[in-house]
Amino acid sequence: MTGRSTSFVAGPGGRVSGEIRVPGDKSISHRAVMLGAIAEGVTEVHGFLDADDCLATLAAIEAMGVRVERPAADRLIIHGVGPRGLKAPGTALNLGNSGTGMRLLAGILCGQEFDSVLVGDQSLMRRPMDRVGAPLRRMGARFRTQHGRPPIEITGRRTLQGVANELDVPSAQVKSAILLAGLYASGRTLVIEPTPTRDHTERMLAAFGVPVERDGAEVSIRGPAVLRGCRIDVPGDFSSAAFFIVAGVIAGAAPLAIRGVGVNPTRTGLLEILRLMGADIRLLEQRNFGGEPVADLEVRPGRLRGIAVPRELVASAIDEFPVLFAAAAVAEGETVVTGAAELRVKESDRIAVMADGLKQLGVDAEAREDGIRVRGGSVGGGIVESRGDHRVAMSFAVLAARAGEPVVIRDVRYVATSFPGFAATARSAGLLLGEED
Ligand code: S3P
């Protein structure tokens, strides 16, 4: 992380318009690397997210003997070693800031012939891991944590058995870890979700030739399974586009086009929420990238009104709440979010960190156990701590456009975990965003 600016200085008055693109989808990039590694044959990835989180996953699979060529920053040629071809890594695998990297890889590692240890940065070392450990143990894995947190120690050479898993937390990471372990298990591995979560693993397994059965809230595969290498085209990350969707609504000078964005319906809850608040956002040129829906988004400036966010939209907007809270700060009236306690165990406690930052800027915000209450109004300037959370940092950079005074956002190096080039894209769209060391 050296050589990266540590603060944003975001000016008031920026107005966005024109046309932008955002980098590749983080969730899909992680999965492409992992599935490509354990597939037979070559997998070509186009549009790979060249960001710290996905690079940590890439380094982990390379440490297990997988050869990857990188003809360009966003292109990978992965020489898959087949499901049994991974080699014991010499040291602990460090997944940096990435919960997805750690939890999904854990699913694969439970099926290997060698032992492994997973560690991460300060934030990741605080995050709950027994939510993946418990179901993996039921399948026969040996998975140890330190009081539920990393390091994770996985013992190999276990015989895994497919079982039915009813999840109590809606989590695509947990669902995916179970399905990936299911590739190594005998029989049927079934996951029942309390509410639908992102289904990139299911779609990508199908692209790699593994039959996935879906029936309402249930998804299952049969193991042991063999994956065949394929070509993966990664769409633009909806979660990165989200910052510009909100900027286009609350700080638009004219329509803003965001090209080539993944619009998988398990990810686009933010669009529905913003529309309920009065926004005009259109999906144009809808198309398909290997099983993933993609569109160009057109966002028009407009006024928002506060709402009670329907609980059923929470899972499909889970990563977009920081920027939604920013939108709520300039909406007319009150926005209330409930049923979103998961936000407390993301890269930071996003309820507490966002509420603190909003209050710092003079916004009437109240953190609640499982959500937040924000009353829209005028936004002042000041210093906001992002607590090393990439999405918090970018959310305040957007909100600053509507502030009365400049906003300094501290600890923004982690923006590079998901959106390298965010500041440049923001400036090209019209936001006034400086960087400082
Ligand atoms: C992700 C799932 C979500 C999301 C995360 C990426 C994934 O986490 O917050 O940023 O790629 O599967 P949970 O599944 O734990 O909610």
Side-chain angles (χ1 to χ4, degrees), residues 108-272:
I108 292 177
L109 290 171
C110 287
Q112 305 305 318
E113 293 299 307
F114 51 82
D115 302 344
S116 41
V117 178
L118 299 173
V119 296
D121 71 5
Q122 254 188 19
S123 150
L124 187 54
M125 295 301 274
R126 284 195 299 261
R127 295 181 67 185
M129 292 298 151
D130 273 342
R131 50 178 57 199
V132 280
L136 294 175
R137 283 183 205 114
R138 291 183 52 234
M139 295 174 73
R142 185 119 197 269
F143 181 111
R144 273 173 303 174
T145 57
Q146 296 278 335
H147 307 291
R149 325 255 167 234
I152 299 175
E153 292 176 19
I154 295 170
T155 308
R157 298 167 297 279
R158 305 285 292 187
T159 305
L160 301 186
Q161 187 64 47
V163 297
N165 299 277
E166 190 158 357
L167 306 188
D168 30 67
V169 199
S171 168
Q173 294 180 354
V174 176
K175 171 179 64 175
S176 300
I178 295 169
L179 292 175
L180 294 177
L183 296 171
Y184 293 90
S186 53
R188 184 165 181 245
T189 296
L190 170 72
V191 181
I192 306 162
E193 297 192 274
T195 37
T197 63
R198 65 190 68 194
D199 62 358
H200 305 303
T201 302
E202 296 90 306
R203 289 174 191 249
M204 200 180 288
L205 281 171
F208 276 88
V210 176
V212 178
E213 280 175 48
R214 294 197 241 190
D215 183 8
E218 299 189 357
V219 49
S220 65
I221 61 164
R222 280 182 193 278
V226 174
L227 294 78
R228 282 192 314 273
C230 64
R231 176 183 164 128
I232 301 286
D233 287 286
V234 182
D237 197 325
F238 182 84
S239 298
S240 296
F243 302 104
F244 293 99
I245 296 171
V246 168
V249 177
I250 70 168
L256 176 72
I258 314 172
R259 304 262 181 240
V261 182
V263 288
N264 179 320
T266 59
R267 293 283 298 279
T268 52
L270 177 74
L271 294 183
E272 290 175 62

Side-chain angles (χ1 to χ4, degrees), residues 27 31 100 103 170-173 198 318-319 346:
S27 292
R31 286 159 172 81
T100 306
R103 294 190 178 122
S171 168
Q173 294 180 354
R198 65 190 68 194
I318 196 68
D319 288 344
K346 294 294 180 188

Side-chain angles (χ1 to χ4, degrees), residues 165-433:
N165 299 277
E166 190 158 357
L167 306 188
D168 30 67
V169 199
S171 168
Q173 294 180 354
V174 176
K175 171 179 64 175
S176 300
I178 295 169
L179 292 175
L180 294 177
L183 296 171
Y184 293 90
S186 53
R188 184 165 181 245
T189 296
L190 170 72
V191 181
I192 306 162
E193 297 192 274
T195 37
T197 63
R198 65 190 68 194
D199 62 358
H200 305 303
T201 302
E202 296 90 306
R203 289 174 191 249
M204 200 180 288
L205 281 171
F208 276 88
V210 176
V212 178
E213 280 175 48
R214 294 197 241 190
D215 183 8
E218 299 189 357
V219 49
S220 65
I221 61 164
R222 280 182 193 278
V226 174
L227 294 78
R228 282 192 314 273
C230 64
R231 176 183 164 128
I232 301 286
D233 287 286
V234 182
D237 197 325
F238 182 84
S239 298
S240 296
F243 302 104
F244 293 99
I245 296 171
V246 168
V249 177
I250 70 168
L256 176 72
I258 314 172
R259 304 262 181 240
V261 182
V263 288
N264 179 320
T266 59
R267 293 283 298 279
T268 52
L270 177 74
L271 294 183
E272 290 175 62
I273 297 169
L274 288 174
R275 283 178 182 142
L276 290 172
M277 295 174 81
D280 179 357
I281 304 161
R282 297 171 196 190
L283 267 55
L284 308 174
E285 305 289 333
Q286 298 203 38
R287 50 210 189 261
N288 208 290
F289 273 25
E292 288 284 351
V294 175
D296 296 336
L297 306 183
E298 189 179 87
V299 187
R300 288 167 189 264
R303 291 163 74 92
L304 296 176
R305 37 177 196 278
I307 58 164
V309 173
R311 276 173 175 254
E312 62 273 19
L313 293 178
V314 167
S316 61
I318 196 68
D319 288 344
E320 284 62 75
F321 280 102
V323 77
L324 179 73
F325 299 166
V330 294
E332 195 184 311
E334 202 164 80
T335 296
V336 179
V337 176
T338 50
E342 273 298 291
L343 295 175
R344 293 204 177 265
V345 290
K346 294 294 180 188
E347 287 83 327
S348 71
D349 175 343
R350 287 182 172 160
I351 294 175
V353 176
M354 284 302 299
D356 284 352
L358 289 171
K359 285 190 267 190
Q360 205 61 41
L361 302 181
V363 176
D364 176 5
E366 180 202 341
R368 293 178 173 174
E369 202 43 46
D370 69 339
I372 202 167
R373 180 191 61 77
V374 179
R375 174 165 288 283
S378 60
V379 178
I383 298 175
V384 167
E385 303 291 341
S386 72
R387 305 268 172 229
D389 187 319
H390 55 137
R391 299 202 198 281
V392 170
M394 293 184 274
S395 300
F396 282 110
V398 168
L399 181 58
R402 291 285 300 271
E405 300 282 331
V407 177
V408 175
I409 306 152
R410 289 227 172 108
D411 206 5
V412 302
R413 284 165 301 168
Y414 285 84
V415 166
T417 60
S418 69
F419 198 157
F422 167 76
T425 303
R427 286 190 287 266
S428 82
L431 291 177
L432 305 175
L433 188 62

Side-chain angles (χ1 to χ4, degrees), residues 88-106:
T91 52
L93 298 169
N94 189 337
L95 279 310
N97 195 242
S98 179
T100 306
M102 182 173 278
R103 294 190 178 122
L104 270 60
L105 209 51

